[in-house]
Amino acid sequence: KIADLILDWRHLSKLNNTYAKSLGNAADGEGRIHTSFQMTSTSTGRLSSSNPNLQNIPIRSEDGTKIRSAFIAKTGYQLISADYSQVELRLLSHMAEIPTLQKAFKEGQDIHAITASEVFKIPLSEVTSDLRRQAKAINFGIIYGQSAFGLAKQLSISRSDAGKYIESYFEHYPGIKQYMERTKAFARDNGFVETLQGRKCYTRTINDSNNAIRSFAERAA
């Protein structure tokens, strides 16, 4: 029982120190916060927030919701929440040139339901919400290099079943496997990979003798 109490304490103390205390101190004379956004502080070019960091406030917990409720738009203004829709899969369909994925996106189809239908070998009409959820985990897990062990743990299934799902996935999308292997080979030879617009992301440890370090760099590539 003490472990649960320690985790609760850690969760609350982090919220308190990172947000409850610091956000108040970061406010200007009108009680408003103005974060700074950078596009060059991460190796991937992803937008990051600092002074204060507003990107890590928990969204799925009651405590996080309470902290978010402190953000109130100025009179006459609105706060909006925006996100890309399945951006990784859209980029992958283009970069790896996967016709079936491209067609699905262009036609506005449910990409996770389609994956569920193909991986689990059932008609699209028989895909349940649970199977769609599993297919979503497979879609995003595999493109980030997740192993059968990791997928099995995430879906609470056997390692052999997870391995079969991954095999089935690559059977339906062989171009994804080829693209991943091609990218890793490029990174090993050059020490970096490039985005569509030519930004270099360095993978200096991709030839490391330590398997864990090397594998991490391969997934990053």
Side-chain angles (χ1 to χ4, degrees), residues 165-192:
Y165 289 165
I166 292 175
E167 283 180 22
S168 179
Y169 187 90
F170 284 135
E171 282 177 12
H172 284 93
Y173 303 120
I176 293 178
K177 181 75 170 177
Q178 294 161 11
Y179 165 75
M180 293 170 79
E181 294 304 319
R182 198 164 61 241
T183 302
K184 287 187 282 188
F186 180 90
R188 289 189 199 100
D189 291 340
N190 297 279
F192 65 86

Side-chain angles (χ1 to χ4, degrees), residues 33-189:
I33 285 170
H34 305 276
T35 187
S36 296
F37 290 105
Q38 292 94 23
M39 290 187 69
T40 56
S41 61
T42 63
S43 61
T44 60
R46 182 176 183 150
L47 202 65
S48 66
S49 164
S50 63
N51 299 318
N53 180 359
L54 302 182
Q55 291 183 318
N56 292 330
I57 302 174
I59 196 170
R60 293 185 179 88
S61 71
E62 185 180 346
D63 297 316
T65 301
K66 287 178 180 176
I67 290 175
R68 286 171 179 269
S69 70
F71 293 91
I72 302 168
K74 190 183 291 187
T75 303
Y77 290 79
Q78 285 185 316
L79 294 176
I80 65 166
S81 176
D83 195 7
Y84 290 106
S85 173
Q86 302 167 345
V87 62
E88 297 96 336
L89 292 172
R90 290 178 189 274
L91 283 169
L92 181 69
S93 71
H94 175 76
M95 296 172 77
E97 298 178 354
I98 312 298
T100 50
L101 288 180
Q102 291 175 347
K103 182 174 182 290
F105 282 126
K106 286 175 181 176
E107 295 178 356
Q109 298 176 11
D110 186 334
I111 201 72
H112 300 312
I114 290 172
T115 296
S117 172
E118 293 178 340
V119 171
F120 302 127
K121 297 179 173 61
I122 58 173
L124 196 58
S125 59
E126 294 179 18
V127 174
T128 63
S129 58
D130 185 57
L131 289 176
R132 184 188 181 278
R133 178 188 62 81
Q134 292 188 47
K136 184 177 180 180
I138 292 169
N139 266 331
F140 287 112
I142 289 177
I143 65 174
Y144 281 114
Q146 191 173 43
S147 64
F149 175 80
L151 185 62
K153 187 176 180 181
Q154 184 174 354
L155 296 180
S156 299
I157 58 178
S158 70
R159 195 168 175 178
S160 61
D161 282 345
K164 290 175 184 174
Y165 289 165
I166 292 175
E167 283 180 22
S168 179
Y169 187 90
F170 284 135
E171 282 177 12
H172 284 93
Y173 303 120
I176 293 178
K177 181 75 170 177
Q178 294 161 11
Y179 165 75
M180 293 170 79
E181 294 304 319
R182 198 164 61 241
T183 302
K184 287 187 282 188
F186 180 90
R188 289 189 199 100
D189 291 340

